[in-house]
């Protein structure tokens, strides 16, 4: 199955994707993680993307479309993939439709009021991409990744001011994708305000897993 996870920044896409990888036996592809890795490695792509990400704006379509195409052409995506954070614009969705058959767009419904607490409590591992929350999903040892024992980081764009612009960007450019995939009969929506475990159950049910 080729699955897209839709939802606001902080809705829980990455957390759910990490679970579905195991359940579905396919990899997840997070354009946000790929871009953050590029920045950490000082690549030309990273240099181009950084200013947009730090400001809470989208990275230009051309850059992300190319990197997504390269990524899903890799061997491990042959039997399916979970897209987390792509597409985020209609042109990205149109490009994706040219190169892959999407089976389902699972939309995590979380109102803006809930998002801020998600972002301010989020902690990430820059090495393996694991995501934690200081209250909802704390690591076993404070501020340390369970997988690789690296110290955890607060994302620069999880500051309250940047979260505001990311939410505005989401409503303006990404939310219309629900209608785009709705017209194709591919959208399944679930309540994303429940706890992490309940959200996993709702997703499984919606996907028939
Ligand atoms: P979140 O998990 O909060 O939704 P991501 O990690 O997916 O955030 O993305 C972080 C940032 O990376 C975005 O704010 C944006 O600047 C950039 N980005 C990630 N994916 C895309 C995309 N598909 N198109 C444009 N920009 C993207
Ligand atoms: P996204 O990838 O959509 O930006 P994340 O999966 O990174 O979202 O989740 C954002 C933050 O909220 C993280 O700190 C994560 O641990 C936490 N989180 C995710 N899902 C839930 C949930 N259902 N209830 C409470 N907190 C959650
Ligand atoms: Zn880690």
């Amino acid at each position: 199955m080729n699955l897209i996870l839709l939802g606001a920044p902080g809705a829980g896409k990455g957390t759910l994707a990490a679970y579905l990888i195991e359940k579905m036996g396919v990899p997840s592809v997070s354009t946000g993680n790929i871009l953050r890795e590029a920045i950490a490695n000082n690549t030309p792509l990273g240099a181009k993307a950084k200013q947009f990400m730090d400001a809470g704006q989208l990275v230009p379509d051309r850059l992300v479309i190319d990197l997504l195409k390269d990524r899903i052409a890799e061997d491990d995506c042959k039997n399916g993939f979970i897209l987390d954070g792509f597409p985020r614009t209609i042109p990205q969705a149109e490009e994706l439709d040219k190169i892959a058959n999407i089976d389902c767009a699972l939309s995590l419904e979380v109102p803006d009021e809930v998002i801020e607490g998600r972002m301010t409590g989020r902690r990430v591992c820059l090495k393996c991409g694991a995501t934690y929350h200081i209250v909802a999903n704390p690591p076993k040892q404070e501020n340390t990744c369970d997988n690789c024992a690296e110290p955890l980081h607060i994302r620069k764009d999880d500051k309250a001011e940047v979260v505001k612009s990311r939410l505005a960007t989401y409503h303006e450019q990404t939310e219309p994708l629900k209608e785009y995939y709705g017209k194709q009969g591919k959208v399944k929506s679930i309540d994303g305000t429940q706890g992490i475990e309940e959200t996993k159950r709702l997703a499984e049910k919606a996907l028939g897993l």
Side-chain angles (χ1 to χ4, degrees), residues 5-198:
L5 298 181
L6 293 178
K13 302 180 297 296
T15 302
L16 183 61
Y19 175 69
L20 292 176
I21 288 172
E22 304 286 326
K23 273 301 268 195
M24 296 169 52
V26 297
S28 80
V29 174
S30 158
T31 40
N33 281 352
I34 297 172
L35 292 168
R36 275 186 292 279
E37 217 173 275
I39 292 173
N41 293 330
N42 287 312
T43 69
L45 171 67
K48 283 183 203 143
K50 189 177 186 317
Q51 45 173 327
F52 297 101
M53 293 172 74
D54 286 350
Q57 293 164 3
L58 294 182
V59 173
D61 283 339
R62 197 66 264 155
L63 294 177
V64 276
I65 288 168
D66 284 348
L67 82 81
L68 191 278
K69 279 186 180 168
D70 288 349
R71 179 63 188 87
I72 65 174
E74 285 176 35
D75 260 3
D76 63 334
C77 289
K78 280 217 173 79
N79 297 321
F81 50 75
I82 302 163
L83 297 185
D84 159 15
F86 187 98
R88 263 179 155 95
T89 64
I90 299 280
Q92 290 179 20
E94 288 170 347
E95 285 300 313
L96 181 61
D97 273 341
K98 290 182 196 161
I99 57 164
N101 275 320
I102 298 306
D103 300 294
C104 176
L106 184 69
S107 176
L108 287 171
E109 304 293 334
V110 180
D112 289 7
E113 309 86 76
V114 179
I115 294 294
E116 200 179 324
R118 296 267 178 103
M119 304 293 216
T120 48
R122 173 156 60 184
R123 299 291 182 273
V124 297
C125 174
L126 293 180
K127 193 166 175 202
C128 74
T131 298
Y132 302 86
H133 189 279
I134 49 174
V135 179
N137 183 26
K140 292 196 179 83
Q141 204 188 326
E142 200 181 337
N143 216 40
T144 307
C145 180
D146 291 349
N147 303 330
C148 45
E150 288 285 309
L152 299 178
H153 291 262
I154 300 178
R155 272 170 51 173
K156 236 181 160 177
D157 59 349
D158 277 349
K159 281 186 296 210
E161 317 87 80
V162 185
V163 169
K164 278 207 181 71
S165 39
R166 288 165 68 199
L167 278 171
T169 303
Y170 168 74
H171 290 301
E172 200 177 299
Q173 302 194 57
T174 305
E175 215 168 15
L177 291 176
K178 272 197 257 175
E179 199 190 328
Y180 179 91
Y181 289 109
K183 280 187 185 149
Q184 300 184 5
K186 291 176 180 168
V187 175
K188 295 202 164 94
S189 297
I190 60 171
D191 178 5
T193 66
Q194 306 299 309
I196 293 176
E197 292 308 313
E198 180 60 13

